Structure formats: structure tokens, C-alpha cells
Amino acid sequence: MHVMGGGDVGGAKTQIMNTVTGLARRNEVMLISFRAGPFADEARERGIDVRVIERHNPFRAARAMRDLVDQFRPDIIHCHGGRANLMGAMVRRMRRVPVLTTVHSDYKLDYLGNPFKQHTFGAANAVALRFLDFYQPVADRMARTLIERGFDPERIVKIYNGMDFHRPEGEFDRAQYLKENYGAEIEDGDVLCGIAARLTAVKDIATTVRAFAAALQDAPQLRLFIAGEGEDEEMLKKLCAQLNVTNRVTFCGWVSPVEPFFRAMDINLLSSVSETFPYSILEGVCAGCATICSDVGGMPELIDTGENGYIFPVGDYKKLSEYMVRLANDAELRQTFAQALYEKASHNFSKDKLCERQEANYRHLLARFHRPKNERESIVICGAYGRGNAGDDAILEAIVQEMRALAPERTICVMSRRPQETRLTYRTGAVYTFNIFSILRRFRRAALYINGGGTLMQDVTSTRSIWYYCYTLRAAKKRGCKVMMYGCGIGPINRAGNRKMAAKTIQGSVDRITLRDENSRQELARMGVTRPDIRVSADPTIILDAAPYEVVSLAMEQSGIDPSGRYIGFGLRNWKGLDAALPAIAAAADYAYEKHGLTPVFVPIEFPSDLTPAERVGALLHCPWYAVRTRQPIEVTIGILARMKTVVGIRLHSLMFSAGQGVPVVGMSYDIKVDSFLKYIGSSTCLQLREVRVDELCGLIDKCLSGALDEEVRRNAKLLREREHENVRGAAILLGIENEKEEAAE
């Protein structure tokens, strides 16, 4: 059952219509509208069962909707917009049916510029949203906004707008169309920019007008056509007059149908302050326009700047103007962008894709909603998370990714030092690492407790940490969880009391252990641990892929690094022995530059602390060098390391990320875990940090760059990925999923 206000216009109207008509092919669909009019009439003409409830009293309207729910008996109620959300929240209290709402726009900005509606209709919608079961934002950025406002990430599923991407056929005389419909005379050589949007504050058309006025200085052939109506119309006309561009700007009013409007344009513009996944962009793509839009909603997921269009910062009319000039003066670039974006959009954002995703979301949410209340269903993950270390964060990302693929209906809760940041980044539940009472409550509902990865069982950094991790293992087992240590390392555990406690805990409380190196297995054997099922696998981060090429290139450019250059990477950290090794590291970096033409690039794994040793080495260098000075997503960090010809690392994960991408590495070991990893992959390019000498380091760099190790490095990268699967298999066995698959096969 889809529920809507009935006065929906623009992208929301298109998305609802595409969804209900697409779903109706394979499902029973009822559409409830709280207003008679064109939308309800059009849906009825398309064969949809439409029921109109025209009640001004919300309680009467809710009762009427409840009666239809009893009659239709929907599996799920799907709301669109403020009034529908309010009615859905009221009916939800009367009937046990899951209620989902699609968040088409930022509900706090829906009535921007109209304080009365903002504090009445907007406030009612904001309250109603809190009483619904699930939320479906039309872009990843909107999902992030909801999480920041306290919505549960486990109750949020994304959807992307979709449309029919059949290109219009036949001849089209745009000059005639524009003259007959809008009285606009265009000349040969004119480049036409169009924007189709409500003329309201949230659409920020003023930025488009200012950018257009500036662009005319370098591209006088530009024309601007504004399609839409709204309260800002008079203000925008006055702005055009002030900027002396009135004769080059045409206000078209409300345009319907919009297809010929976009067929007439060369460039499609969007300058909104807030959007989710605007249909006006997709409609322009379908018509063959080149695209420039503000950095809002899901636009970065559609447009790859510089590859198939341009994205500019919200409100930055100078950057918008620059892009308009660039496209106005290059017809070939306009065509290239338009074709590339059409190919991407038609493949990933079609109407059929929309319906496939919507049905998949329904299945997922229904499974979640109807799961028995007393069933253990969640997965709790513990590790050194939320501390700003890219290696630990990568471990968490890999485990979450694997658990979602393995058991998508199960919820995930992470024990984190920064739970809010974890919720935003990984879209999981999260509790503060040391909120014991909350953690114990989570254990009572959890099917599986994952401890790892990383080297948590060690007492080099602190005795308190090993005590804590052992306590969580015992507490999870005592409360009925299956317990797994996941892709982890063991040791060193130096104190006799700690070794005895850890051995007793692991022996009695852990069901399965997967280890990232053979040394860890030997350490467990020395501790007398025999009972859990122990397998050697690989670090979970091996499964992570680099970010797309263009994204990595942009990140490098922002750090002043030419993406097409030749580089040697360094992954350093502060540790005992580094002071003595600094001159040798700097000399080796200079050597790589002089002999091999490789410029040093310092890539921090723990930000910003790893920049300090980078600066110290940089101060000793005689050659140019770069450092990545801003915190990057894990996939971007991996992508940057993948661009290096070789990587010299103290940080374990700088070596793991690089080896996983097939880049030869030189390790400077400060800890047994570095030796263990390099030994595990069969690498001979390792020095002890306290014994680093420049001649040996330069010799290992030569060896990595000679090509002699290339085959070995590729083989090791493949081997690590194959071995890592043992982690997932172990979790599947503990959750009973592996047994279910075997039974199904039989």
C-alpha cells in the first residue's frame, strides 16, 4: 500500500509514479491519495487501484485509511511525504503492519522560506517520522543526514530514483519549439543552458543566475532558460536586471511535458542547496544534455567530475561559471560528457533497476520486521575501533562488508570509542566500548560475538586491554553467544599471569579462531590452547578494493600530487628505534629518486600522528616529496598505495594494503606481527627497524623495482584473498548458514 498526499510535483511525483506502476506488474498495489486531482487520475489511468481520502480532520483520515488497511491487508505500507507520514504513524499504532517512508528530500528544508508551513506541516512531519518503522532515503547523503539526527542506521535502506531511458526519436527543431512556447529567438552558435526547478530558496536559482552572468564574459554565446514557478520568481527577475543579463535569460514558467525542454538544451544545470536524487538531472541525461550540478544528495554517485560531468560546491557561483564556460566553448566535450553519463545512468538508474531495488528492500525489511522477538539475531563486533587508525578502521569495514554479504537480515552492533562516527561511517548500530551495561544487553540478543581482527590478544601496549578483551569473550559466552576470534594475530603476551588468563579464556569461551599468520598459531600452541577450532586465514582487509581511479586521482591532486607521476610510498609510524633509522630512510628515499626517478610520498595510516615521522624524514630529504595531509577514506588510501611502484613500511597495514594490491613491499619491523606477515607471504624484503642501514634498505628497494619479485607479489596477493575466505566460512558455520547451504545442496 503506497500512501501520498496527492499534491506531489516534480521528482517526488515521478518517483512515486514509476515505483507504483513498476511494482504493479508483479504485485498487488493500492495507492491512497489524500487529495483528488491529476496525480490520482493519472495513476488510475495506468491501471493502479487508487483510493482518495479527502478528510481535513487527520483523525478521520486515519480511521478511513485504517479501514482500507483492513480491507486490503497489505504486507507493507509505504509512505511518501509529510501528510502520508503522519497518517502512516497514526495507523501504525492501530495495526501491526510495517510502515516505510521514502525520504524524497530534507524534511527540515521542505518549507524553507515559509516560516508558517515550516513550523506547522514541517514540524508535524518531523515528529511523525520518529514513529515509523523504516526509512528509505533517495541518496546516501540523505541517509547520513538521518543518522546524524539520531535515526537508527539499521532501519535505513537506500533507494535511487530511476526512469525510462529511451532516447526520444525523430527530428526536433529546438528554435521553433522555443519560439512558439516561450517567445525566445535563438541564433546559430548559441549554447543553451537549462534549469528546471521550483523557484524557491532551497533550489538556489540565484547562484545559477550569478554564475551565468559571470560566464558571459568568456562565453557570450550562452543563453539561460529557467523552467519553473515559485515565490522567488520576482527576486530572480530583479537579479537578472541588476546583472544586465535580462536579454539572455528566459523565464519559461511551469513546463509540462519537460522532455522537449531538455531536448532543446545543451547543458543541464542544478544549483540546489539540498536534494536527494533529482529527476531533473536524469531527464536531462535522457535528452542528451551535458550536466553541471551542485554537490548535493546522490549526485556524486551519478556524476564523476571531469569524466561525465561537473559537480561544484553548493553556492559557489564562480566554480559553476568556470564549468559553464568550459562546456560552452567545447562542443566535443559536451557530447563526450553527455554520452558517458547516459551510458552510466541508463545502466544503473533505470526504471527497472528502481523496481528491482524496491522489491529487494521490501523483502529485507519484511524479514527484519517479522523476525521473532526472542530470536538471537544480531552480530556484535569488538576491536580497537573508533580511534582514527586506518588499519583498524579497514578491518572493521571488511568485517562489516563480509557479515552483510553473509547474513543481510541480521543487525550489526560495533563496540567503538566513537560510536556516533561509527554509525555514520559503517551504517551499523554502535555502543561505546566501555559502556559495559549496554554491551551486556547486546550480548543477550546476539547470535555471534566477533573479537577482532588485529592483534587484540597482546600485552605490549597495555595489560588493561588484554584483561578487557578476555572479559568480553567470557561475558559473551556466558550470555549464550557463539564466539569467534576473527582474522586476528596473537601476541606477544609477555607476562605469565596474562598468558595463563588468555589461554584459559580462549580455551573455555571461544568457539572458533581464524588467524592471520602461522606465528599466531604457534603462539597459541605454546600457550596450550587446543579446544577451539583454529584455522590460519588472512587479515580481513585483504578483501577491500581501491577506490575508483578518478576518485583516487582527485584525492592525490588535492594533496598536490600529480596522479600520473612515478612514486615510492612510505608508511611510517613513531616507535622506538625510529630516531636512529631516520637518516637511513631519508637517504634511501633520495636514492630512489636519483636512481629510479621515484618521488617519495608519505601515506599516513593513523591520522594525523603518522604525519610527524613523515615531516621528520622530509626535513632530511634533498629531493621533492609529498605527504597525504588530509584524512582519506580507506579505499582511497588503498588506491594511493596501489599507485606506488614500491612501498617501504613500518605500519603493518601500509604493507598489507600494498601487498593486497600487488605492490612489492619493504618492511621495517618494529613488532613480531610485521615479521609474521612478511614471513606468511614468503617475503624476504624485511629489516628490523632498530637495525636499518642505508645500503641494505637501498638494496631491497632495487630488488623490488627490478621486476624479479613481480610474479611472487601477484601470487601472494591472490593467495591472501583465497585464504581470507576462511574467516567468512568460520562465521557462517557458527551462524548455521554453512549447514543450511549444505542441506539445501543435498
Side-chain angles (χ1 to χ4, degrees):
M1 176 180 280
H2 281 254
V3 187
M4 50 172 284
D8 306 77
V9 296
K13 176 192 174 207
T14 306
Q15 202 258 8
I16 298 168
M17 191 67 75
N18 283 343
T19 301
V20 295
T21 54
L23 291 173
R25 297 174 193 161
R26 297 188 296 272
N27 306 272
E28 271 193 84
V29 176
M30 176 183 284
L31 177 64
I32 293 179
S33 174
F34 291 99
R35 182 188 303 178
F39 194 119
D41 294 339
E42 182 180 343
R44 197 174 286 113
E45 288 170 5
R46 295 193 185 195
I48 304 299
D49 180 6
V50 180
R51 308 298 176 92
V52 176
I53 301 174
E54 290 191 286
R55 302 279 196 281
H56 296 296
N57 184 313
F59 297 100
R60 290 182 178 177
R63 282 196 295 271
M65 179 176 161
R66 178 202 61 195
D67 292 341
L68 288 172
V69 168
D70 291 341
Q71 172 192 329
F72 184 59
R73 300 179 66 81
D75 295 297
I76 194 163
I77 296 172
H78 189 157
C79 300
H80 304 267
R83 188 168 185 191
N85 292 339
L86 180 60
M87 294 298 101
M90 295 172 74
V91 169
R92 177 180 173 273
R93 294 176 60 84
M94 307 176 195
R95 298 292 182 268
R96 182 172 161 72
V97 181
V99 180
L100 163 71
T101 180
T102 292
V103 185
H104 293 275
S105 58
D106 187 341
Y107 58 90
K108 288 191 174 183
L109 300 177
D110 280 345
Y111 300 104
L112 192 66
N114 191 326
F116 174 75
K117 288 185 176 181
Q118 197 168 12
H119 290 93
T120 52
F121 302 134
N125 185 29
V127 172
L129 282 167
R130 301 287 174 175
F131 291 91
L132 304 182
D133 295 298
F134 301 107
Y135 308 91
Q136 185 174 259
V138 191
D140 187 73
R141 190 168 296 177
M142 192 66 244
R144 183 181 180 88
T145 298
L146 291 175
I147 296 166
E148 287 173 341
R149 293 174 185 170
F151 290 86
D152 182 357
E154 296 283 2
R155 294 165 62 195
I156 295 171
V157 289
K158 287 183 295 185
I159 194 76
Y160 294 99
N161 286 340
M163 63 178 291
D164 189 340
F165 277 94
H166 291 303
R167 279 269 173 90
E169 298 178 356
E171 294 295 322
F172 179 72
D173 188 335
R174 72 173 186 173
Q176 182 180 347
Y177 166 78
L178 293 171
K179 182 176 181 180
E180 289 179 355
N181 289 275
Y182 312 115
E185 298 274 1
I186 63 170
E187 300 175 0
D188 290 343
D190 280 350
V191 176
L192 311 188
C193 299
I195 183 167
R198 289 178 288 118
L199 308 188
T200 60
V202 74
K203 301 300 182 180
D204 194 18
I205 311 294
T207 288
T208 294
V209 174
R210 292 190 182 95
F212 175 74
L216 283 175
Q217 305 301 313
D218 297 306
Q221 71 273 32
L222 282 170
R223 296 282 301 270
L224 177 62
F225 291 80
I226 300 174
E229 295 175 343
E231 57 268 24
D232 285 359
E233 184 170 348
E234 287 305 313
M235 178 273 290
L236 293 169
K237 287 180 177 178
K238 289 178 182 177
L239 180 62
C240 289
Q242 291 169 5
L243 297 173
N244 296 316
V245 295
T246 301
N247 63 325
R248 304 293 291 178
V249 178
T250 302
F251 285 83
C252 303
W254 186 256
V255 173
S256 182
V258 77
E259 178 193 294
F261 174 81
F262 282 117
R263 287 188 74 181
M265 299 299 122
D266 297 298
I267 303 170
N268 184 18
L269 304 174
L270 180 84
S271 54
S272 298
V273 173
S274 173
E275 292 280 0
T276 49
F277 207 88
Y279 266 102
S280 63
I281 292 297
L282 296 181
E283 287 161 336
V285 171
C286 189
C289 298
T291 304
I292 310 174
C293 70
S294 51
D295 187 6
V296 291
M299 290 299 91
E301 294 154 72
L302 172 66
I303 296 173
D304 306 303
T305 291
E307 296 293 321
N308 55 20
Y310 290 121
I311 294 178
F312 67 93
V314 170
D316 189 346
Y317 79 90
K318 292 182 180 178
K319 181 58 71 173
L320 173 55
S321 174
E322 176 189 325
Y323 289 151
M324 290 171 74
V325 170
R326 199 175 295 176
L327 288 179
N329 292 329
D330 192 335
E332 185 178 347
L333 184 63
R334 292 199 303 271
Q335 182 61 35
T336 300
F337 277 12
Q339 185 59 33
L341 191 55
Y342 177 81
E343 289 173 4
K344 180 177 181 179
S346 59
H347 182 265
N348 296 324
F349 303 100
S350 67
K351 183 177 174 180
D352 289 339
K353 283 282 187 184
L354 166 67
C355 292
E356 285 176 20
R357 291 186 182 117
Q358 188 63 79
E359 289 184 327
N361 283 353
Y362 287 156
R363 288 192 292 270
H364 173 74
L365 299 180
L366 286 167
R368 289 276 310 280
F369 185 82
H370 292 295
R371 189 182 288 276
K373 296 295 183 186
N374 60 351
E375 182 182 353
R376 288 180 171 272
E377 61 85 21
S378 68
I379 299 170
V380 177
I381 304 173
C382 175
Y385 307 132
R387 300 169 65 178
N389 183 294
D392 292 324
D393 291 344
I395 291 171
L396 177 57
E397 180 163 330
I399 296 175
V400 168
Q401 191 179 116
E402 290 180 318
M403 291 304 100
R404 286 214 167 111
L406 179 66
E409 285 82 27
R410 294 183 182 271
T411 58
I412 297 173
C413 179
V414 177
M415 297 160 59
S416 169
R417 293 289 186 93
R418 297 174 186 159
Q420 177 64 5
E421 182 180 295
T422 298
R423 290 186 198 102
L424 282 169
T425 305
Y426 305 102
R427 310 299 162 84
T428 64
V431 295
Y432 180 56
T433 302
F434 301 113
N435 187 343
I436 296 299
F437 295 109
S438 181
I439 289 166
L440 295 180
R441 284 196 299 273
R442 299 281 182 160
F443 284 164
R444 290 191 184 96
R445 293 294 311 279
L448 176 64
Y449 172 58
I450 290 177
N451 175 272
T455 308
L456 303 182
M457 288 295 155
Q458 51 83 25
D459 62 2
V460 175
T461 55
S462 152
T463 288
R464 289 191 302 273
S465 66
I466 194 171
W467 287 357
Y468 175 76
Y469 292 126
C470 284
Y471 167 74
T472 63
L473 291 171
R474 293 194 301 271
K477 190 64 177 176
K478 185 176 179 180
R479 282 156 184 79
C481 301
K482 294 290 187 180
V483 177
M484 180 175 181
M485 296 173 66
Y486 194 101
C488 59
I490 305 292
I493 306 175
N494 296 315
R495 299 183 183 180
N498 291 344
R499 289 179 70 83
K500 183 177 179 181
M501 175 191 63
K504 183 178 179 181
T505 299
I506 296 171
Q507 186 85 350
S509 300
V510 179
D511 297 293
R512 195 174 184 91
I513 304 175
T514 53
L515 301 168
R516 67 185 182 187
D517 56 70
E518 185 61 39
N519 279 10
S520 294
R521 187 207 284 268
Q522 294 169 8
E523 179 70 357
L524 285 177
R526 287 192 291 270
M527 291 166 62
V529 175
T530 57
R531 196 196 69 78
D533 189 347
I534 301 172
R535 304 293 177 98
V536 177
S537 59
D539 192 279
T541 60
I542 293 299
I543 70 157
L544 297 178
D545 294 319
Y549 188 87
E550 297 79 12
V551 174
V552 175
S553 295
L554 185 60
M556 293 178 73
E557 287 172 358
Q558 289 171 345
S559 293
I561 306 170
D562 181 359
S564 62
R566 300 180 75 251
Y567 302 108
I568 178 172
F570 288 85
L572 306 182
R573 70 168 294 172
N574 286 313
W575 198 261
K576 260 185 251 178
L578 178 65
D579 290 350
L582 286 176
I585 295 171
D590 280 328
Y591 171 81
Y593 180 78
E594 291 164 7
K595 180 173 181 180
H596 299 288
L598 302 180
T599 304
V601 174
F602 297 91
V603 184
I605 299 299
E606 185 168 298
F607 188 89
S609 62
D610 288 358
L611 287 176
T612 302
E615 295 287 353
R616 294 180 67 192
V617 173
L620 302 175
L621 290 176
H622 299 98
C623 66
W625 61 278
Y626 302 99
V628 180
R629 298 184 181 279
T630 55
R631 187 193 299 274
Q632 299 293 338
I634 294 157
E635 293 85 352
V636 172
T637 298
I638 294 172
I640 292 172
L641 289 169
R643 300 282 183 94
M644 305 295 114
K645 299 302 179 185
T646 188
V647 170
V648 179
I650 300 175
R651 282 281 184 192
L652 175 61
H653 277 95
S654 70
L655 302 173
M656 285 185 171
F657 292 161
S658 304
Q661 296 297 311
V663 175
V665 297
V666 177
M668 295 183 290
S669 177
Y670 70 97
D671 187 280
I672 186 65
K673 62 187 180 183
V674 178
D675 296 274
S676 298
F677 170 70
L678 292 172
K679 181 181 177 183
Y680 186 48
I681 64 173
S683 173
S684 59
T685 53
C686 183
L687 301 171
Q688 297 302 305
L689 179 60
R690 61 183 178 274
E691 299 171 1
V692 169
R693 296 201 312 271
V694 64
D695 55 340
E696 287 184 283
L697 189 52
C698 291
L700 292 180
I701 290 172
D702 287 339
K703 187 175 181 181
C704 287
L705 295 171
S706 67
L709 301 179
D710 288 357
E711 182 57 35
E712 176 187 306
V713 168
R714 283 192 293 271
R715 186 173 63 251
N716 287 337
K718 182 181 179 183
L719 179 66
L720 286 171
R721 286 179 176 260
E722 290 172 352
R723 287 179 175 174
E724 198 282 332
H725 183 67
E726 189 63 44
N727 294 326
V728 185
R729 183 170 174 271
I733 290 170
L734 294 182
L735 289 170
I737 295 172
E738 193 79 6
N739 294 336
E740 290 171 9
K741 288 180 179 177
E742 290 172 3
E743 288 172 8
E746 289 172 5

